[in-house]
Amino acid sequence: MDSDRAGSAPAERKLIAVQEVMAKDPRHARRAPAEWYESGAAYVIDRFVPLPEAGVPITDLGFNRGDAVYDVVSVSRGQFFRLADHQQRFAASCKRIRVTMPFSDERLTEILNQLVALTGWQDAYVWWGVTRGKTPMRSADRTDATRFTNRFFAYVLPYIFIADDERQQRGTNAVISTEYFRIPPTSVDPRAKNLLGLDFSLSLFEAGDRGAEWSVLTDGQGNITEAPGSNLFVVKDGTLATPVDWCLEGITRLSVMDLAAELGLPLEVRKVTAQELLDADEAFYTSSAGGIMPLHSVDGVVLGQRNATGPGPVGARLHDLYWEKRWAGWLGTPVDYSALG
């Protein structure tokens, strides 16, 4: 009989304390930032600026309509992770909403590298995006996507954790939103990573009202889609499953698929019902902002009816392998900290 399901309480699994490692291991220590960039760095349209001085023109449709796409790549131990995959996804996002990236992939890589180098951070959250720009003055031009001047923005912050070490170790308590469902793909294609996240924000407030820490959204037809800024996986009888549609094709999601194949774990990409999440042996959510993060309970139901808090065996194995491989250089692109321009 599985000791996680009955009998005496199982020994608590200990995950790699990623946040603590980043804070204390000298291999993650911040390098000296360039003058004026102690608080972060940004690129606004055509120039580098200190982060506190960055802003978006108030008439830009990215600001007043959320008409933009973006991407986020993380840096840890001085290496971008899966930078080419992020750039490829971003190019697809631009195409899907009909905006034009002003720079080549090579120039984008240079800008992102320089932003990180200016700050000296070896663990960083690197955001970039393209907005529609301002509305053309001639109304006849507003139906022609090529008549807009699209704008580029980017910035760098210290690495962001959706769930800190404490929450990672015990697992997040989530609820399935009953007040909101995910924006339908026929309205906005979720494969284009976009700024329209009000459904996520409101579902998080609903979760707080219900005494939970995170939310899960469905398609309104009983199938789970995403959690705010993150993809979802369920585990049942050793098999992983993740939603096939109504969700972003996440890069950390892709990494889990790669790691599952490496470990010989069966994985299905298909419709996943909310009931399957509630009946799962374990579940986790994934994001560049934190990696692989276990869920403890959903709607008050402890997943797998474990007798102790903490991650399940599959999620724990994937979590640790993800960070071990990343820190060993897996799919990494080293930051050139001498490239300050």
Side-chain angles (χ1 to χ4, degrees):
M1 181 177 291
D2 188 341
S3 63
D4 279 2
R5 291 183 175 277
S8 61
E12 187 177 35
R13 297 179 183 88
K14 289 291 186 182
L15 299 177
I16 293 173
V18 178
Q19 195 172 23
E20 182 178 355
V21 171
M22 288 184 182
K24 296 181 179 180
D25 190 314
R27 290 171 292 181
H28 295 262
R30 185 180 186 180
R31 297 167 181 249
E35 189 176 12
W36 311 118
Y37 291 93
E38 174 72 29
S39 298
Y43 193 95
V44 177
I45 303 175
D46 60 1
R47 69 196 64 187
F48 293 94
V49 296
L51 187 59
E53 299 176 16
V56 178
I58 200 167
T59 57
D60 195 298
L61 291 172
F63 169 73
N64 56 43
R65 283 192 184 173
D67 191 348
V69 287
Y70 73 101
D71 220 292
V72 173
V73 64
S74 63
V75 172
S76 191
R77 204 168 283 182
Q79 296 189 80
F80 289 101
F81 182 59
R82 305 194 80 143
L83 179 58
D85 291 316
H86 282 280
Q87 289 179 311
Q88 182 178 356
R89 181 177 68 178
F90 182 70
S93 293
C94 289
K95 184 175 181 180
R96 286 184 171 114
I97 76 159
R98 300 174 68 178
V99 295
T100 300
M101 171 62 172
F103 304 117
S104 66
D105 280 350
E106 293 75 16
R107 179 56 181 154
L108 174 59
T109 298
E110 291 174 356
I111 291 171
L112 300 182
N113 186 99
Q114 189 166 343
L115 284 169
V116 178
L118 285 167
T119 68
W121 285 315
Q122 293 206 87
D123 297 289
Y125 173 99
V126 187
W127 186 104
W128 79 93
V130 171
T131 69
R132 186 75 58 192
K134 69 177 182 179
T135 302
M137 295 302 293
R138 285 182 1 114
S139 59
D141 291 338
R142 297 176 188 178
T143 58
D144 183 350
T146 67
R147 304 301 294 174
F148 292 76
T149 301
N150 305 144
R151 293 166 168 161
F152 176 85
F153 300 87
Y155 62 87
V156 177
L157 296 171
Y159 187 86
I160 292 173
F161 288 89
I162 288 178
D164 61 16
D165 283 349
E166 185 275 332
R167 186 185 294 183
Q168 284 263 43
Q169 184 56 48
R170 63 172 167 79
T172 296
N173 297 307
V175 294
I176 299 171
S177 177
T178 58
E179 298 180 19
Y180 309 97
F181 61 84
R182 190 71 179 103
I183 296 172
T186 49
S187 296
V188 179
D189 189 342
R191 296 173 300 169
K193 191 172 175 69
N194 61 79
L195 296 185
L196 302 175
L198 193 56
D199 51 349
F200 287 150
S201 295
L202 293 174
S203 72
L204 282 173
F205 297 146
E206 176 192 353
D209 292 342
R210 293 169 60 185
E213 299 165 315
W214 211 246
S215 58
V216 172
L217 285 95
T218 72
D219 60 4
Q221 301 172 31
N223 303 299
I224 62 172
T225 61
E226 294 180 284
S230 48
N231 292 110
L232 293 159
F233 286 81
V234 301
V235 183
K236 187 70 175 179
D237 298 327
T239 296
L240 290 87
T242 192
V244 65
D245 54 13
W246 285 65
C247 63
L248 179 71
E249 295 173 341
I251 303 301
T252 313
R253 172 180 181 260
L254 175 62
S255 298
V256 170
M257 294 176 179
D258 290 344
L259 294 174
E262 179 179 327
L263 295 173
L265 297 172
L267 186 146
E268 300 169 351
V269 182
R270 57 171 174 78
K271 295 282 190 184
V272 179
T273 67
Q275 190 61 50
E276 285 182 89
L277 174 58
L278 294 169
D279 293 339
D281 295 331
E282 54 183 292
F284 53 87
Y285 55 119
T286 63
S287 172
S288 291
I292 298 166
M293 298 163 283
L295 288 171
H296 174 62
S297 69
V298 178
D299 287 351
V301 176
V302 177
L303 301 184
Q305 294 300 308
R306 288 190 291 275
N307 294 328
T309 60
V314 174
R317 191 177 182 191
L318 289 166
H319 172 278
D320 285 359
L321 184 60
Y322 170 81
W323 286 106
E324 289 166 353
K325 287 176 70 71
R326 277 199 62 171
W327 289 337
W330 179 47
L331 299 173
T333 303
V335 177
D336 178 3
Y337 286 92
S338 69
L340 298 179

